[in-house]
Amino acid sequence: MAFFQPEHTMATPSAALPKAPVIDTASEPSERKPRRFGPSWFLVSPSVALLLLWMLVPLSMTVYFSVIRYNLLYPGENDFVGLENFHYFLTDAGFMPGMTNTLILVGSVLLISVVLGVLISALLEAANFTGRGIVRVMLISPFFIMPTVSALVWKNLIYHPVSGILATVWKFFGAQPIDWLAQHPLASIVIIVSWQWLPFAILILMTAMQSLDQEQKEAARLDGAGPIAIFWHLTLPHLARPIAVVVMIETIFLLSVFAEIFTTTSGGPGYASTNLAYLIYTQALLQFDVGMASAGGLIAVVIANIAAIILVRMLGKNLTEKY
């Protein structure tokens, strides 16, 4: 009986199978790079170009006017003056009062809107009564009123020393009515602006409180925590991020408050209620010094950017570390 004898296939090391060629993948791109000028770029380019023109043209004109002597009363004198307009604006008698009033206005409105916004939002979230939705709408509605309209309402219906609501209340108690816009101009404007921006804080904070985990609150109540302890240790830390958003957004807008001052006090008496925005207006449209007003506008832009950078870094760092 014959058996099939397989051939001896044992190979020596020198006769081993050849290795597969090693392909250098480092030189080849792992994925295709996007084209620099694709169809999407052409679709976006018109809006980008329009945005750049919308921003760069006014800024370039402001920079140009700030380095020349450009007064509308003397149209023929447009000599180059360098940084002279900046020097005159910084040494103007209204600059320091305007800067101080701007800081007081921004700080006071932020304090009032954040504190009252947190308290009102917490009360609305804790209370359960009929018509709570109507109350929420009424609390938010002042934010949608135009600044000029709200300033006129406060000036003629509330602050008026003869026919205003506050004057009627003062007379009812036998006191002498106060001319608020003349005796306390900056405080009056702070109240008006706070009334406008408090609904924004309430809207953001109420929305944030609805995402608070109710199981944590129930567990805290079972452990014997009271309403104040729950608010301090659960609600307030939960509102840290919304409060930061409110502070950043309101600061940017409050640095340019103008309509309320123009409508009520016109910056007076003297410089008692003048901020940087109104000071720039007086230089441009009351004294017709466009060059000096342009320098003031650039200074205001620098101050606003510094404030924004500080707020974003400080608050953003805290939020990143917290969350």
Side-chain angles (χ1 to χ4, degrees), residues 145-196:
I145 300 177
M146 297 297 294
T148 306
V149 176
S150 62
L152 288 173
V153 169
W154 279 85
K155 178 181 180 181
N156 297 318
L157 298 181
I158 300 177
Y159 285 149
H160 198 279
V162 177
S163 59
I165 295 176
L166 294 180
T168 304
V169 173
W170 258 243
K171 292 176 182 178
F172 178 80
F173 289 101
Q176 181 68 26
I178 299 175
D179 190 354
W180 292 92
L181 295 176
Q183 300 180 18
H184 308 285
L186 187 59
S188 302
I189 293 174
V190 167
I191 295 174
I192 296 174
V193 180
S194 300
W195 181 77
Q196 293 175 346

Side-chain angles (χ1 to χ4, degrees), residues 247-248 251-252 302-318:
V247 170
M248 285 189 290
T251 300
I252 300 302
V302 172
I303 294 174
N305 280 275
I306 292 175
I309 291 172
I310 293 175
L311 287 172
V312 168
R313 290 192 175 185
M314 291 179 60
L315 299 177
K317 183 179 179 181
N318 293 335

Side-chain angles (χ1 to χ4, degrees), residues 21-158:
V22 179
I23 301 175
D24 187 9
T25 58
S27 59
E28 296 183 1
S30 58
E31 59 182 5
R32 182 178 297 178
K33 295 182 179 180
R35 291 177 295 178
R36 181 168 300 184
F37 298 103
S40 59
W41 186 88
F42 290 102
L43 293 174
V44 176
S45 57
S47 59
V48 174
L50 181 61
L51 181 61
L52 289 177
L53 289 175
W54 188 270
M55 296 173 57
L56 293 179
V57 171
L59 181 61
S60 302
M61 295 179 64
T62 304
V63 174
Y64 171 72
F65 290 144
S66 66
V67 295
I68 64 173
R69 182 179 290 108
Y70 187 33
N71 194 308
L72 299 179
L73 298 178
Y74 307 99
E77 299 181 5
N78 297 329
D79 300 332
F80 177 79
V81 295
L83 301 178
E84 184 177 334
N85 289 323
F86 294 90
H87 172 74
Y88 285 151
F89 186 83
L90 292 174
T91 57
D92 187 79
F95 176 74
M96 288 307 298
M99 189 68 185
T100 304
N101 293 336
T102 301
L103 296 177
I104 294 174
L105 177 63
V106 173
S108 301
V109 174
L110 285 177
L111 181 63
I112 294 172
S113 60
V114 170
V115 173
L116 292 182
V118 171
L119 295 178
I120 294 174
S121 301
L123 289 175
L124 287 176
E125 185 67 20
N128 189 9
F129 57 91
T130 305
R132 186 170 63 172
I134 299 176
V135 173
R136 288 179 176 177
V137 173
M138 292 178 64
L139 287 172
I140 298 172
S141 58
F143 183 67
F144 301 100
I145 300 177
M146 297 297 294
T148 306
V149 176
S150 62
L152 288 173
V153 169
W154 279 85
K155 178 181 180 181
N156 297 318
L157 298 181
I158 300 177

Side-chain angles (χ1 to χ4, degrees), residues 11-19:
T12 60
S14 60
L17 294 175
K19 296 182 179 180

Side-chain angles (χ1 to χ4, degrees), residues 117-118 121 140 143 197-211 238-247 249-250:
V118 171
S121 301
I140 298 172
F143 183 67
W197 282 97
L198 177 59
F200 174 77
I202 294 175
L203 177 63
I204 299 298
L205 297 175
M206 278 198 311
T207 305
M209 291 192 68
Q210 294 178 359
S211 63
H238 179 74
L239 295 178
R241 179 173 295 179
I243 289 175
V245 173
V246 170
V247 170
I249 294 177
E250 287 193 6

